């Protein structure tokens, strides 16, 4: 209550507004750094492939991407992710790059993290797991990261392919070297000998999703049924009405979710880890669970961002 003739004090002063803003920012940082960054989302999707042989009907695939162990992805959190994957009981696990984080002065740390990550992936009960590499893996060392994974039971496909066989039928799994370093070679990853084979679809592991625009100009693209990517982290920090605050090179057009390019489908996984800052907001870590079905997709996949 004020006396006659006195000036009312403002209910919200500049100092109190700044204090409230600081408290709000601190609370948001705490939430995005300690809670949202560790909230695992399992995304379930049915994938329809025209050429899928009957032996692969209902096959269950899990995709993991962008683990970035030991920069901001703590070993205890990766163990939580791996335990969740084991609960899903997939037939196959495909990993699409960036198991470590590269950076100035981080090479030795990254090398240690690569071996640690490779060893931890042995905790996956599914032994049919395959990997491609990402740009951070290249920064630490393609050969070293490949050895760390392969010697622990996770073969790495670098411009290479292999058959996955089931009850006398097969599909082809191909993997590209990281596109950001300019070493991707579709001719080697998807050679003419495996293209457009009846009842033998091709699944491609390719870290950077925006590479698809170049890939579509290559003859190999016509035989690729499904491309799995990561790299973008889904934007990592996404604000309402604004969207992703920052996106990496070759991950700015196709940011997250499903995309359709004629027969080829692409899925971009948001990844597990974080880079740059230890925050995630409106963009939780993702485990993607796919079930394969024969036949055309019921509807064209909508572009997501």
């Amino acid at each position: 209550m004020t006396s006659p003739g006195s000036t009312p004090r403002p209910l919200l002063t500049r100092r109190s507004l700044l204090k409230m803003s600081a408290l709000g920012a601190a609370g948001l940082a705490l939430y995005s750094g300690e809670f949202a960054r560790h909230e695992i989302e399992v995304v379930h999707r049915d994938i329809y492939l025209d050429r899928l042989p009957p032996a692969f009907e209902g096959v269950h695939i899990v995709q993991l991407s962008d683990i970035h162990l030991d920069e901001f992805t703590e070993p205890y959190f990766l163990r939580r992710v791996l335990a969740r994957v084991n609960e899903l009981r997939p037939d196959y696990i495909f990993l699409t790059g960036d198991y470590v984080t590269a950076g100035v002065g981080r090479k030795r740390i990254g090398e240690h993290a690569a071996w640690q990550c490779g060893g931890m992936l042995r905790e996956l009960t599914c032994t049919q797991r395959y990997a491609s590499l990402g740009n951070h893996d290249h920064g630490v060392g393609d050969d070293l990261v490949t050895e760390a994974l392969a010697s622990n039971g996770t073969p790495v496909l670098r411009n290479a392919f292999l058959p996955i066989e089931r009850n006398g039928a097969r599909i082809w799994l191909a993997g590209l070297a990281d596109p950001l370093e300019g070493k991707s070679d579709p001719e080697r990853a998807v050679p003419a000998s495996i293209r457009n084979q009846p009842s033998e679809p091709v699944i491609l592991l390719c870290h950077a999703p925006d590479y698809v625009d170049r890939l579509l100009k290559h003859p190999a693209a016509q035989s690729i049924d499904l491309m799995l990517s990561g790299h973008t982290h889904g934007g990592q920090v996404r604000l309402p009405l604004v969207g992703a605050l920052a996106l990496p090179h070759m991950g700015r057009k196709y940011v997250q979710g499903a995309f359709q390019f004629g027969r080829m489908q692409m899925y971009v996984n948001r990844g597990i880890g974080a880079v740059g800052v230890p925050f995630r907001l409106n963009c939780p870590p993702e485990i993607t669970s796919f079930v394969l079905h024969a036949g055309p997709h019921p509807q064209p996949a909508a572009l997501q961002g």
Side-chain angles (χ1 to χ4, degrees):
M1 183 174 180
T2 58
S3 58
S6 65
T7 302
R9 296 182 62 186
L11 295 177
L12 188 63
T13 65
R14 183 172 180 271
R15 179 175 294 178
S16 63
L17 180 62
L18 290 174
K19 184 182 292 186
M20 289 174 61
S21 298
L23 288 173
L28 188 61
L30 177 64
Y31 171 75
S32 59
E34 294 301 320
F35 297 98
R37 187 166 62 85
H38 296 122
E39 293 176 347
I40 304 166
E41 181 181 5
V42 179
V43 177
H44 298 275
R45 295 194 66 91
D46 291 311
I47 298 291
Y48 291 82
L49 303 178
D50 283 331
R51 298 187 293 158
L52 190 74
F56 284 87
E57 177 66 36
V59 157
H60 182 195
I61 295 170
V62 159
Q63 180 192 5
L64 290 176
S65 197
D66 298 86
I67 293 172
H68 289 284
L69 184 65
D70 242 9
E71 181 180 42
F72 301 128
T73 300
E74 308 91 340
Y76 83 84
F77 179 55
L78 178 56
R79 286 197 167 91
R80 277 183 53 203
V81 171
L82 301 181
R84 187 71 185 92
V85 172
N86 287 339
E87 291 173 2
L88 295 171
R89 303 182 68 180
D91 298 301
Y92 305 96
I93 299 173
F94 299 154
L95 301 104
T96 45
D98 278 2
Y99 309 92
V100 296
T101 299
V104 178
R106 286 193 53 89
K107 186 171 178 62
R108 184 162 296 180
I109 297 172
E111 291 173 352
H112 172 76
W115 285 101
Q116 185 180 19
C117 185
M120 291 179 69
L121 290 176
R122 293 178 70 93
E123 297 176 20
L124 291 167
T125 54
C126 174
T127 58
Q128 295 293 309
R129 56 183 185 267
Y130 304 92
S132 63
L133 299 185
N135 55 302
H136 282 268
D137 305 319
H138 178 82
V140 170
D142 287 337
D143 291 341
L144 183 139
V145 177
T146 296
E147 184 181 359
L149 295 177
S151 64
N152 282 289
T154 306
V156 177
L157 298 174
R158 294 160 59 187
N159 295 326
F161 65 96
L162 54 78
I164 295 180
E165 299 180 336
R166 192 178 182 91
N167 298 331
R170 68 183 176 187
I171 63 176
W172 295 98
L173 180 67
L176 284 172
D178 177 57
L180 273 77
E181 303 306 322
K183 296 184 177 181
S184 294
D185 188 347
E187 198 65 41
R188 289 168 55 199
V190 189
S193 60
I194 70 169
R195 294 178 196 170
N196 301 310
Q197 297 294 324
S199 300
E200 294 184 7
V202 176
I203 298 176
L204 176 70
L205 310 182
C206 176
H207 182 67
D210 288 3
Y211 181 74
V212 72
D213 286 342
R214 299 185 199 173
L215 182 61
L216 289 169
K217 300 174 184 177
H218 193 282
Q222 304 305 316
S223 64
I224 298 170
D225 298 81
L226 175 64
M227 173 171 155
L228 300 180
S229 297
H231 182 54
T232 68
H233 298 207
Q236 194 168 302
V237 175
R238 301 180 67 92
L239 298 182
L241 305 178
V242 176
L245 292 185
L247 290 166
H249 176 56
M250 294 193 75
R252 295 170 183 162
K253 184 175 180 181
Y254 306 106
V255 178
Q256 62 175 332
F259 303 85
Q260 189 92 32
F261 308 92
R263 186 174 73 185
M264 184 199 298
Q265 300 173 60
M266 178 173 72
Y267 190 85
V268 184
N269 178 293
R270 293 192 303 267
I272 295 300
V275 164
V277 293
F279 303 134
R280 275 187 177 263
L281 185 63
N282 296 323
C283 193
E286 176 180 351
I287 297 169
T288 318
S289 172
F290 301 103
V291 176
L292 300 186
H293 302 285
H297 197 283
Q299 299 176 358
L303 288 176
Q304 300 187 21

